[in-house]
Each structure stands twice: as structure tokens, then as C-alpha cells.
């Protein structure tokens, strides 16, 4: 067929009869292969939501860095902002996105618990003060006893609250959780009825800027437990390793651009700040309470540490207690979580994988 097409093309293009229709057909035949190739370029979608550690994805899209790396691996990557964090994970779980940003707990309790095998390709950071319990008109954590606490129920905020209560010999039975959308938390705290909240930045910064409140517990007191990830569908990643390479390459170029205090770094962080509704000073303040892994090696070391299994054990125990591992979960080990140092949970039901492969490629300069 290829031989016949080439002969036909040569015949038409060399014919002394230069009719317009023949010239047009000649052009179509010559350029058809490249058009077909462009149309067959694999396309992928990544969802993100506003958070200090995830703003780099927006910058990567607007600056062209993501496209640069996608072009290198001959794929298309669409970066899509979703206004509601949990909804973004739900859409990923439903197959509407190939990748999205989420915490380690949400990766376990939403896609993994729904049977969607997912891989943490990039560990971007962990919260080191970006999540906190805030009380109005009270100065210490123990004062939360008997109060309603507004938060996004069954999220990392809920986990943080539970871990905080342990430190003052309280349990969730000593407070009342009021499920509140992250979109409504700031407005809720301005009312007289709401006197306690648990939330994350940038909402946290808005709330703590209000008068008569105290941050009584934050994630710096449980370092390394609330981890921010880029998660990719494991089947998609296995079939398209170029996606993992492109995303990781883009991420560490963004990290290299935004760190430090040179003109390019300040411009990048200023853009991220404005996109998240603050200014450079405000964004840098949020970064100060975030343990960003600007260097791939640091992320790999964290990923490969045995402490990761301990963290996932704590998260799994909380999740099981709150019925987040699915109806069939008999215990906290129902879902297998694979890490370089071993598997926590059921090895025959691995649905969440911490795989440093692509980050290690960045370390080794192989992207």
C-alpha cells in the first residue's frame, strides 16, 4: 500500500497537467502522514487545586514549561484547575483525569479505597505548619473541648484534628465535627456561631489574620505526616512512561526556577501568589510553613525512608476508624500501600504506590 501511494503521488506531482484539483490532492497526500501523526499524539489531563505546594502546576502551564516537556516526549498534557479539592480527586477517581494533586491520606481513602490503582510519582512537599487548628476567643488546644469544630470532614484537616486531640488526652467524642466546604470556611469563621476551625493555606492565612483567634496546633507538630503528592493512574503510567518523565521533568524545572531570590524566582513566585489570591510576601509566608522538596534527591530520600510506612500506618488506622477504606475493609490493612522499604497492608490488594522511579531519573539527569 505504501508503494502504491508513493507511485500515485509521484505520478500526480510530476504530471504536466497542473490542474488545481490535482495539486490539492498532491498536497493532501504529501502532508497526510504528518497530520495523522499529530492527531495520534497521546493526550493526558492533570487536575490541580489552589494550595501553596500545587501552585507550581499553574505556573508550569502558563509559562510553557509543561508544554516544553510534553513536546519533548511527543505527548499533550492539559493542566486544569478545579475549584473544589475533593471534587478534583473524585473526578480523577472516575477517570476524567489521568493525574491530579492530593495528600497521602486522600490518595488512600478516595481512589485507592475505590479500587483505582494509583502511583505517587512526585512527592512535592509535606505540610510543616500549613494546616492548623484555630480557636476564636481561646488560647490553648485543650479549650476545644465541648466545641463545634468546622472543617472538611474526613479530610487531612480531620486527621490533623484527631492527632491534635491525642496530645491533650481528648478524643473526637469530646468535640463535635461540623462538615464545612473549604469554599465556605473563611466566611463561616466570621460568624459568631463558629469558634473553632481546622483548615489549610491559603484559607488558614485569611482566618489567622482575623482578630481574636489563636492557632493552637499545626502540622509542624506532626512533621512528615501530611504529604502532598502528584498521583497518576498506575495503568496509564505503566502504558505511558513518557507521561511520568514529562511531568517530573517539568516539575523540577519549575522547582529550579522558583527557588532562591533572583529575578526569575521572584517573578515565578509572584505569579503563583497572584494566582492563589495573595501577594509575594503572603505566598512566601506559606512556603515558609511548607517543607518543599526543591531538589529531587531530597524527595527520593523521603520517599525511600522507612518512616513513610509508619506514617501510612497512622493514616490507615484513622481512615479505617472513620470508615474510609470501603465497606469490605475488615481492618486498617485492607488496602496495600507499596513503598521502597516494603508494603503496609494487603500485598494482594495494592492500590497505592510510592514509586521514586521518575524522581530518581531527575536525580540522575536521565529525563
Amino acid at each position: 500500500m505504501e508503494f502504491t501511494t508513493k507511485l500515485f503521488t509521484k505520478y500526480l506531482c510530476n504530471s504536466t497537467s497542473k490542474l488545481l484539483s490535482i495539486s490539492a490532492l498532491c498536497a493532501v497526500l504529501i502532508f497526510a502522514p504528518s497530520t495523522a501523526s499529530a492527531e495520534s499524539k497521546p493526550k493526558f489531563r492533570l487536575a490541580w487545586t489552589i494550595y501553596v505546594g500545587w501552585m507550581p502546576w499553574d505556573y508550569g502551564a502558563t509559562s510553557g514549561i509543561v508544554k516544553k516537556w510534553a513536546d519533548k516526549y511527543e505527548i499533550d498534557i492539559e493542566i486544569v484547575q478545579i475549584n473544589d479539592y475533593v471534587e478534583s480527586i473524585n473526578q480523577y477517581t472516575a477517570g476524567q483525569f489521568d493525574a491530579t494533586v492530593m495528600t497521602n491520606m486522600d490518595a488512600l481513602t478516595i481512589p485507592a479505597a475505590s479500587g483505582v490503582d494509583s502511583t505517587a510519582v512526585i512527592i512535592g512537599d509535606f505540610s510543616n505548619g500549613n494546616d492548623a487548628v484555630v480557636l476564636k476567643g481561646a488560647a490553648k488546644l485543650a479549650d476545644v473541648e465541648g466545641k463545634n469544630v468546622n472543617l472538611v470532614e474526613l479530610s487531612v484537616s480531620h486527621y490533623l484534628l484527631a492527632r491534635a486531640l491525642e496530645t491533650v488526652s481528648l478524643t473526637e467524642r469530646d468535640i463535635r465535627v461540623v462538615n464545612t466546604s473549604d469554599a465556605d470556611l473563611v466566611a463561616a469563621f466570621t460568624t459568631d456561631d463558629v469558634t473553632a476551625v481546622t483548615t489549610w493555606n491559603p484559607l488558614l492565612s485569611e482566618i489567622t489574620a482575623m482578630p481574636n483567634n489563636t492557632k493552637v496546633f499545626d502540622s509542624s507538630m506532626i512533621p512528615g505526616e501530611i504529604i502532598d503528592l502528584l498521583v497518576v493512574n498506575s495503568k496509564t503510567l505503566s502504558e505511558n512512561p513518557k507521561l511520568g518523565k514529562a511531568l517530573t521533568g517539568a516539575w523540577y524545572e519549575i522547582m529550579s526556577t522558583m527557588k532562591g531570590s533572583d529575578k526569575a524566582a521572584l517573578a515565578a513566585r509572584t505569579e503563583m501568589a497572584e494566582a492563589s489570591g495573595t501577594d509575594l510576601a503572603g505566598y512566601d509566608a506559606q512556603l515558609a510553613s511548607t517543607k518543599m522538596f526543591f531538589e529531587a534527591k531530597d524527595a527520593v530520600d523521603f520517599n525511600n525512608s522507612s518512616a513513610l510506612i509508619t506514617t501510612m500506618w497512622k493514616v490507615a488506622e484513622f481512615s479505617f476508624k472513620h470508615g474510609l477504606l470501603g465497606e469490605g475493609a475488615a481492618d486498617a490493612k485492607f488496602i496495600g500501600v507499596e513503598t521502597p522499604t516494603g508494603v503496609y497492608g494487603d500485598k494482594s490488594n495494592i492500590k497505592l504506590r510510592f514509586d521514586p522511579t521518575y524522581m530518581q531519573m531527575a536525580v540522575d539527569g536521565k529525563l
Side-chain angles (χ1 to χ4, degrees):
M1 180 64 183
E2 181 182 357
F3 176 72
T4 304
T5 301
K6 286 180 177 178
L7 282 180
F8 186 47
T9 303
K10 182 177 180 181
Y11 172 78
L12 289 175
C13 294
N14 292 333
S15 172
T16 57
S17 178
K18 300 293 186 179
L19 296 177
L20 179 61
S21 59
I22 293 179
S23 297
L25 179 57
C26 181
V28 168
L29 287 169
I30 291 172
F31 290 104
S34 61
T35 302
S37 175
E39 291 176 351
S40 64
K41 182 185 289 188
K43 297 181 179 180
F44 305 97
R45 303 178 79 216
L46 182 156
W48 71 278
T49 50
I50 289 179
Y51 173 70
V52 58
W54 296 329
M55 296 312 300
W57 286 116
D58 180 55
Y59 175 78
T62 59
S63 66
I65 292 176
V66 171
K67 184 180 185 304
K68 167 189 166 182
W69 283 87
D71 288 347
K72 176 178 180 177
Y73 289 103
E74 300 181 320
I75 61 176
D76 283 336
I77 301 174
E78 182 183 8
I79 308 295
V80 181
Q81 181 184 353
I82 305 296
N83 291 328
D84 184 279
Y85 168 63
V86 174
E87 179 59 23
S88 71
I89 305 175
N90 288 337
Q91 289 188 32
Y92 161 80
T93 302
Q96 296 176 40
F97 289 92
D98 303 289
T100 192
V101 292
M102 65 184 80
T103 68
N104 53 320
M105 177 181 150
D106 295 319
L108 177 68
T109 61
I110 303 180
S114 299
V116 177
D117 192 323
S118 298
T119 299
V121 172
I122 298 171
I123 295 180
D125 66 88
F126 65 75
S127 178
N128 200 33
N130 263 326
D131 299 74
V133 181
V134 180
L135 301 184
K136 184 189 297 180
K140 60 184 186 300
L141 178 58
D143 294 333
V144 77
E145 185 174 6
K147 292 183 180 292
N148 292 336
V149 183
N150 291 66
L151 50 75
V152 178
E153 190 173 15
L154 307 179
S155 69
V156 291
S157 291
H158 200 161
Y159 173 79
L160 178 74
L161 176 63
R163 294 283 283 120
L165 292 172
E166 291 174 9
T167 67
V168 288
S169 301
L170 296 175
T171 71
E172 290 185 55
R173 291 189 296 272
D174 298 307
I175 54 94
R176 291 177 297 277
V177 168
V178 180
N179 187 30
T180 309
S181 168
D182 53 335
D184 300 326
L185 270 170
V186 175
F189 198 67
T190 63
T191 66
D192 293 337
D193 293 338
V194 177
T195 59
V197 298
T198 306
T199 190
W200 56 80
N201 271 319
L203 307 179
L204 178 62
S205 295
E206 293 185 58
I207 288 172
T208 54
M210 298 177 189
N212 192 34
N213 71 74
T214 303
K215 184 167 65 173
V216 294
F217 189 91
D218 68 39
S219 52
S220 68
M221 300 171 185
I222 52 167
E225 292 189 30
I226 299 177
I227 311 167
D228 299 314
L229 312 168
L230 173 70
V231 171
V232 181
N233 180 282
S234 296
K235 183 175 185 295
T236 300
L237 184 64
S238 176
E239 294 174 351
N240 303 275
K242 288 182 178 181
L243 175 61
K245 293 178 181 180
L247 289 172
T248 307
W251 178 258
Y252 286 111
E253 180 173 339
I254 298 165
M255 291 297 100
S256 178
T257 301
M258 69 180 284
K259 69 179 182 179
S261 57
D262 61 22
K263 185 176 180 180
L266 295 176
R269 297 204 305 277
T270 297
E271 184 174 326
M272 295 179 205
E274 292 173 351
S276 64
T278 187
D279 56 17
L280 178 60
Y283 187 71
D284 280 349
Q286 294 175 34
L287 277 176
S289 54
T290 308
K291 174 55 181 177
M292 291 294 297
F293 293 120
F294 289 110
E295 303 295 335
K297 183 182 184 304
D298 294 335
V300 170
D301 290 345
F302 183 87
N303 190 109
N304 293 350
S305 169
S306 60
L308 183 57
I309 285 188
T310 302
T311 292
M312 293 312 298
W313 162 68
K314 293 175 183 176
V315 169
E317 288 286 346
F318 170 88
S319 302
F320 174 70
K321 178 181 177 181
H322 290 82
L324 300 178
L325 300 185
E327 294 182 2
D331 55 36
K333 293 185 176 182
F334 176 67
I335 297 172
V337 180
E338 185 179 67
T339 78
T341 58
V343 174
Y344 171 81
D346 189 348
K347 293 182 179 180
S348 65
N349 187 36
I350 295 174
K351 296 299 179 185
L352 178 58
R353 306 166 193 272
F354 287 84
D355 185 353
T357 297
Y358 297 96
M359 294 187 294
Q360 186 62 55
M361 286 182 181
V363 174
D364 297 337
K366 294 182 178 180
L367 291 176

